[in-house]
Structure formats: C-alpha cells, structure tokens
Amino acid sequence: MRCDYACGTHEGLSRRSFIGGTTAGALSMLGFNGMTQVQASKKLASQQKQVVVFWLSGGVSQLETWDPKPGAETGGPFQAISTSAPGVQISELLPHTAQQMHHLALVRGINTKENDHGKGGYIMQTGRKKQPGFAFPYLGSSFSSHLSAPDSPLPGYISVGAGGSSKESTFLGPRHAPLVLSGGRAPSNLELHSSMQADRDKVRRNLRSKISRRFEQKRKTAHTEVYNESFDQAAALMSKRDVFDFSKFSDKDVERYGKHDFGRHCLMARQLIEKGVTFVKVGHTNYDTHSENFNFHIEQLGEFDKPFATFISDLYDRGLLEHTLIICMCEFGRTPRINSRIGRDHWGTAWSVALGGTGIKGGAVSGKTNETGTKVIDREVNGGHLFHTYYQAVGLDSTEEFYPNGQPIAKADPKAEPIKEILA
C-alpha cells in the first residue's frame, strides 16, 4: 500500500500475504483446577485483553477534534461542545463521539518534537525515535506477541484499511507481523481448491512437514523458519474461515455504521474483536490538510464520527469494552497557525490522542495547552509515556524487557513513565 500525502511525501508499505483454546494443563497452571473447562474458558475469555487502534493517517487536527480553541486567533470556525463526561468539551465536528466521552480519556499534552510523516508515525507506533541499525517492533506486533495465545489459529495482528509491513514485527518474527486485509477484503484462497480433498491435503502437509524437519536438521536458518511458519499459519487460518466472513452484516448495522469504506471497516473490526483477534488496526486517511483544512475536516470527521462512536457503543453493549483497549491516534497534529491556503501544516509540538476501554479512566483528561494551542503548559508527554500507558492499561509490566538475541531491550522508553492520571 502506498499512502501519498498532500505535502508530497509518501509512505511505502509492503503487502504481506496471509501467512482459542487452552489445554487442561495450562488451565491448571493458571489456577482454574476447581472449574469445569467451560467455566475456565469463560474466565479466560473475560481476562483476555484486546486492542483496537484507529489510525487517522496524515495527522488529524487536534483543534478540530480533542482540544478545540474557539474564539482564539488560531481556533478556526468551529465551536466546542459539551460531552457525556462532565466538564470535558471537544469539537462540534464530533457530536456522536461526544456522547461516548464517558468511555474515553484525552491526552492533550503530547510533544513528540517530530513533524515528518514517517518519523512521526514510527514514534507513535513504536514509542521510540528511530535508532541506526535497530528497529523496534510496532505496537500491533508487540501486543500480538504478549497477548495472543501461542496456540491460537488466529493472526494476532490484523490491519483493516490501514496497510502494514512484514517489517513491523522485527525480532518478534513473522507470526506477529500484520495480516493486511487489502481493500478491506477477506484474505483470498481460504478455501481448498475444488480438486483437493481434505484427506489428500493432510497427506500433502504431512509430507512437506517431514521433508522440512529433515532439512532443518542439516541447515536450519531464519529463512526456513519463516517459510515453515507461513505454511503453518496459512493452514490455521483456513480452519477459521468464518472469522473473515463479512457478508452477513445486517442492513440495520450497515445503516448505523455508514455505507462507506470506513463504516464497513469498523464493522469488520467489531467482528474480528468478537471472534477473538488480539489486535486490530483500522485506518482512515486524508487528514494531511495543508490547504482547505476546515472543509476537509468537515468531510473526514463527518465520515469518522458516527462509525467510531457506534463501535465504542457496540463494544460496551456486548461486554467487550471492559477488556478491549481503544486508541485513536496519528503521526502528529496540525499547526495552530492557519496558513495562506486556509490549511494547517505538520505539528508535533502540542497535540492530542484519545484512549478508552480496559484500564482507562473514562472522562479523564491529561495535559493542557495554552490558549492558542501552540505549546504544552501542563503534563507534557511523548511516545514513550503513551507506550507505558498502553502496556499497563492491558495489564502488562511496561518496565520488562524483550530479549532479541539474548540482549535486553526495554519494551517502553525507560526514561518515560505511564500517564497514571488516565489509568483506571
């Protein structure tokens, strides 16, 4: 997928072809000995944490969303409106989301000091600045590795309308790279070819596995591991075809979410979460508003607002929000100063994101910008603080380390800490 921005830059993303139960012994180890397997399964399901990221590509304006400044010289034409969270106001362009603010928290004090699309996106999706010769795993890959059951047949990280690259998983391996649903469609070739019978396919797979093991005894490499794992994952995915059957949404749901790509992608994300996928990334684009910022935000947020709010409401109604973390973010914000083309440019100095769901204190606000939105004046944070917060919201210790090649690498920037005031 190639994402071209209004400023003339682009981000190239390679496409990756698609590469739960728990055993009784595992249940016993987790302390579920006194339960029936059905009871234990229900308890495990209730404890399973999932994550959904809404990625607003190009950089949505904080002034037209989470941190409006009506009446200020930088504020633009839109007003602030009250929300379901007492004392919290957001832009009038988000009336449906305003009714869900009691489920959401705002971080208004972000300063990543980065105005480049690629570098800003990297910070927001890894929690770090790029380091020469080393790549940190993206958030989706990290959560896939920490939260997905090792024997789950489902991919741990699925991207819907947001692109993705096999490079995102870095040292975590191909199992945790994103499965990209290109164009918001289910993966192709999930069915066996009509000429192939199931028993014959089983014999074929067993033969491949036997030859592969023999080869590995003499020459096992990272490439052979990737090759074998791709086969195994593809076979597992074929056994879960129903997860990707997006043909049965009701007319009522389609109407509620909207008859456009983003509405359909949100419905797909809801189904993927219901089916147990650990991490889902949903994309919405065209926020790089160097010109006609206000007209573009009327259009884009008009499409975004209702599906996003409906998604939150549906997860709450289904009992899923209590164990699902929702993150709405992008690579940076927009300049408070309005340029000569009635646009806003790149701005990583003072901007906002929204979080909700598991581990998050609904209605909370962290950080404050000055009256014109040009700088953070209270509780300044960066990508490292956000990553500590994400990890802790789902019950993970953000101070622990990865060990690629036996070397300790901190999960989140050790110089930062979680934003405790928004954690439940």
Side-chain angles (χ1 to χ4, degrees), residues 58-85:
V60 70
S61 170
Q62 70 282 3
L63 295 158
E64 276 68 64
T65 52
W66 314 118
D67 193 15
K69 304 289 183 181
E73 59 179 329
T74 56
F78 306 119
Q79 298 301 306
I81 58 173
S82 297
T83 70
S84 60

Side-chain angles (χ1 to χ4, degrees), residues 219-240:
R219 190 182 175 186
K220 183 176 181 178
T221 68
H223 292 290
T224 59
E225 287 187 272
V226 170
Y227 184 78
N228 289 329
E229 192 157 296
S230 294
F231 270 98
D232 295 339
Q233 289 184 348
L237 204 57
M238 291 173 72
S239 72
K240 302 292 289 184

Side-chain angles (χ1 to χ4, degrees), residues 2-11 116-118 288 290 332 346:
R2 183 184 179 90
C3 187
D4 293 298
Y5 296 111
C7 59
T9 61
H10 69 270
E11 184 176 353
D116 176 81
H117 283 292
D288 197 25
H290 292 276
F332 41 57
H346 302 176

Side-chain angles (χ1 to χ4, degrees), residues 325-339:
L325 174 65
I326 293 176
I327 306 168
C328 183
M329 64 176 177
C330 49
E331 55 266 58
F332 41 57
R334 312 303 304 181
T335 54
R337 181 184 65 84
I338 301 165
N339 66 29

Side-chain angles (χ1 to χ4, degrees), residues 240-415:
K240 302 292 289 184
R241 292 189 297 272
D242 64 307
V243 172
F244 302 99
D245 184 356
F246 303 120
S247 64
K248 298 177 182 178
F249 296 131
S250 69
D251 292 341
K252 182 179 179 180
D253 271 347
V254 171
E255 188 68 32
R256 291 168 63 236
Y257 277 82
K259 297 179 180 180
H260 45 70
D261 284 346
F262 182 67
R264 186 166 61 90
H265 294 169
C266 288
L267 265 172
M268 293 167 66
R270 189 190 75 182
Q271 176 168 309
L272 293 171
I273 290 298
E274 288 177 319
K275 296 291 187 179
V277 174
T278 296
F279 184 98
V280 181
K281 182 180 177 183
V282 183
H284 198 226
T285 190
N286 212 20
Y287 289 98
D288 197 25
T289 52
H290 292 276
S291 62
E292 297 294 334
N293 173 80
F294 306 111
N295 287 338
F296 270 106
H297 275 76
I298 289 173
E299 180 178 337
Q300 293 306 104
L301 293 174
E303 186 174 273
F304 168 84
D305 178 40
K306 188 177 180 183
F308 176 68
T310 303
F311 180 86
I312 295 170
S313 178
D314 279 0
L315 259 60
Y316 175 76
D317 291 342
R318 288 163 167 75
L320 297 169
L321 193 60
E322 64 188 43
H323 62 81
T324 303
L325 174 65
I326 293 176
I327 306 168
C328 183
M329 64 176 177
C330 49
E331 55 266 58
F332 41 57
R334 312 303 304 181
T335 54
R337 181 184 65 84
I338 301 165
N339 66 29
S340 60
R341 293 167 291 171
I342 321 297
R344 297 192 192 271
D345 301 313
H346 302 176
W347 190 248
T349 304
W351 56 291
S352 313
V353 301
L355 309 174
T358 188
I360 299 298
K361 188 184 299 180
V365 177
S366 172
K368 183 178 181 181
T369 55
N370 63 6
E371 61 182 13
T372 55
T374 57
K375 66 177 181 178
V376 179
I377 59 175
D378 181 56
R379 191 61 163 113
E380 182 175 291
V381 298
N382 58 35
H385 297 87
L386 291 169
F387 262 61
H388 277 284
T389 306
Y390 303 153
Y391 282 125
Q392 296 212 6
V394 297
L396 295 173
D397 184 352
S398 60
T399 65
E400 288 184 347
E401 298 169 324
F402 295 111
Y403 283 88
N405 301 318
Q407 299 299 314
I409 302 294
K411 285 182 189 173
D413 187 346
K415 297 188 294 295

